[in-house]
Amino acid sequence: MKILKDILYKVAIEAVKGSTDIAINSIDFDSRKVSLNDVFVAIRGSVSDGHDFIDKAVNQGVIAVVCEEFPERIINGVTYIQVKNTNEALAFLANNFYENPSSQLKLVGITGTNGKTTVASLLYQLFKKAGYKVGLLSTVKILVDEYEYKATHTTPDSLTINHYLNEMVNEGCAFCFMEVSSHGIDQKRTEALQFEGGVFTNLSHDHLDYHSSFAEYRDVKKIFFDGLPKSAFALTNIDDKNGSVMLQNTKARKLTYALKSYADYKAQILESQLTGLLLKVNDNEVWVKLIGNFNAYNMLAIYGVAIELGIEKMEALTLLSELESVAGRFQFIISKSKITAIVDYAHTPDALENVLQTISEIRTKNEQLITVVGCGGDRDKTKRPIMAEVASRMSDKVILTSDNPRTEVPEKIIEDMEKGVEPQNFKKTVSIVDRKQAIKSACMMANENDIILIAGKGHENYQEINGVRHDFDDLKIVTELLTQLNK
């Protein structure tokens, strides 16, 4: 049991009704999960407002309520705590409840539009290979050393973050690598965490359904770096025009990485093949198993973090050469009929262009490049025509299809995409609503040595339609289809 006043440490309290010198059992912001002697935190969400469920939580036995406005009905024996921002309060409550777990290991946050999952996941892989116990908080999964848990958000809520950080501490983890999304920063999910370092990968068109403008999206990312302490490091991609912005007001030690500019960590691509890259990192050559310019940047970020966290230079390079690609990030198979199928998570215009550019650099131009791509429903609509424009400009044939339509009509999403196709590219672009049928059509269009890119979903093993997740795995489906065609 914890004492309420102890877990309120650093919470910006505006008013209190009742006693804070009481024992509490647990904390939650979901009124369906609270029970006797719990603390209920009323969060204002995009769909519902936790303040509407205070009475329900009290009826279920909560002993304290944290809210932005006191409810009309105050119940004797229940403590009510008014704060300015319950998201921020939750972050400190969770941190205190789990006894500040982020201070008991070295936590590194990775933010940016593209590359977060790859950098975080491969840092986990590298430090595991170096012999450490390590934690991972990513889009793909949560890992407490060897134990794997399913991830539901890029940056989980504060309670979930601190719960798993506490599990990592109990398991003896020395490091944790964590994806930090703009949503997570804006909703204060990373408040109260003690970071050893922060990494900025890049910034491009995304999440403008949530943020009012690109400038706001950029500035929210910057907040993460502004909050880093003097004891931390801030490592940024200085080739990205927003890289220097991230460092403007940070108190952390400023470090840079680049392919084109002068930087603390510099790389040059000497060779690029389907099987990997030969890089010159500062003054040393290293072969890595990932491909493309974007992965050269990812490798540099990983190398920089490894050095800053104390791994010796030659060991870091050796470990870099052993890293394996992350699920759904440029995963490829080559069929018996010599058709190459590539599955990638690219779901932003910039990421899609990077993948298509990488394919362009390794192909002979004697084969077709067939791209299957869609856009998610209930998300940033402004990127839909741009995605189609990029795909139709950089591919020989394009199939526009469904991604995760969620609550939107798939045909309407595809119509939004079609608006971006330039007149000269109309003839090579077709629309097929059913994603499996679209992948099948791409396989049937392909001849020996052709390349099929299936973009947008990557590691996801489902397709979400009207709130229901149906089993759907791009890599599994294209593998099965190509095998059937071979027969």
Side-chain angles (χ1 to χ4, degrees), residues 4 11 38 91 122 140 184 205 209 244 265 268 279 312 317 343 389 402 420 427 439 453 459:
L4 180 58
V11 174
D38 284 354
L122 293 185
V140 179
H205 195 119
D209 55 318
S244 57
Y265 297 102
Q268 180 184 356
L279 299 176
E312 191 271 328
L317 288 168
V343 171
E389 187 280 322
S402 298
K427 286 185 178 180
I439 296 170
L453 170 65
H459 65 280

Side-chain angles (χ1 to χ4, degrees), residues 115 118-119 122 202 237 239 257-260 267-281 286-302 320 325 329-332 342 344 350-363:
T118 297
V119 172
L122 293 185
N202 51 65
N237 174 3
D239 280 347
Y257 66 96
L259 294 182
K260 303 171 187 173
Q268 180 184 356
I269 298 174
L270 302 179
E271 286 183 38
S272 180
Q273 300 175 19
L274 190 60
T275 51
L277 290 168
L278 180 62
L279 299 176
K280 186 175 183 182
V281 178
V286 60
W287 176 266
V288 297
K289 298 175 186 177
L290 283 77
I291 75 163
N293 277 27
F294 59 98
N295 272 322
Y297 282 107
N298 292 336
M299 291 292 102
L300 263 183
I302 292 160
L320 214 63
S325 181
R329 270 64 178 177
F330 215 96
Q331 278 188 290
F332 69 91
I342 300 166
D344 194 273
D350 186 58
L352 182 60
E353 186 154 3
N354 282 338
V355 171
L356 288 168
Q357 182 60 39
T358 297
I359 294 170
S360 177
E361 288 165 2
I362 59 175
R363 63 183 288 207

Side-chain angles (χ1 to χ4, degrees), residues 364-376:
T364 65
K365 305 295 190 294
N366 293 320
E367 67 288 280
Q368 292 187 103
L369 169 55
I370 305 164
T371 298
V372 179
V373 65
C375 288

Side-chain angles (χ1 to χ4, degrees), residues 296-316:
Y297 282 107
N298 292 336
M299 291 292 102
L300 263 183
I302 292 160
Y303 176 73
V305 171
I307 299 299
E308 296 306 317
L309 291 180
I311 291 187
E312 191 271 328
K313 182 171 69 174
M314 293 313 295
E315 183 186 5

Side-chain angles (χ1 to χ4, degrees), residues 52-85:
D52 296 335
F53 301 95
I54 290 175
D55 282 349
K56 180 187 176 186
V58 170
N59 290 337
Q60 288 176 209
V62 300
I63 200 167
V65 173
V66 179
C67 51
E68 293 175 12
E69 293 174 6
F70 285 134
E72 290 182 10
R73 193 164 74 100
I74 301 295
I75 305 298
N76 285 336
V78 177
T79 300
Y80 296 84
I81 299 151
Q82 185 181 10
V83 298
K84 187 174 181 181
N85 186 312

Side-chain angles (χ1 to χ4, degrees), residues 89-208:
L90 179 64
F92 284 100
L93 288 165
N95 177 65
N96 296 331
F97 185 84
Y98 287 105
E99 299 178 356
N100 195 11
S102 61
S103 69
Q104 299 175 61
L105 43 66
K106 292 185 176 180
L107 176 64
V108 177
I110 299 98
T111 194
T113 303
N114 303 311
K116 296 189 295 296
T117 300
T118 297
V119 172
S121 300
L122 293 185
L123 277 166
Y124 168 88
Q125 200 182 118
L126 185 147
F127 277 78
K128 282 291 291 176
K129 288 177 181 291
Y132 294 98
K133 286 195 169 190
V134 193
L136 173 69
L137 291 165
S138 81
T139 303
V140 179
K141 56 191 167 185
I142 294 169
L143 288 165
V144 178
D145 198 39
E146 303 287 351
Y147 301 95
E148 182 175 329
Y149 303 88
K150 189 177 179 181
T152 55
H153 294 81
T154 304
T155 307
D157 62 82
S158 305
L159 277 172
T160 303
I161 292 170
N162 282 278
H163 165 74
Y164 283 115
L165 286 175
N166 186 55
E167 291 289 304
M168 292 171 198
V169 171
N170 292 338
E171 190 61 30
C173 292
F175 303 94
C176 175
F177 302 103
M178 171 183 176
E179 290 186 52
V180 178
S181 68
S182 59
H183 292 66
I185 299 166
D186 189 56
Q187 294 169 14
K188 311 288 185 183
R189 297 180 205 164
T190 54
E191 288 286 322
L193 296 179
Q194 188 171 311
F195 285 93
E196 183 75 15
V199 179
F200 170 75
T201 58
N202 51 65
L203 207 66
S204 64
H205 195 119
D206 201 15
H207 298 307
L208 298 189

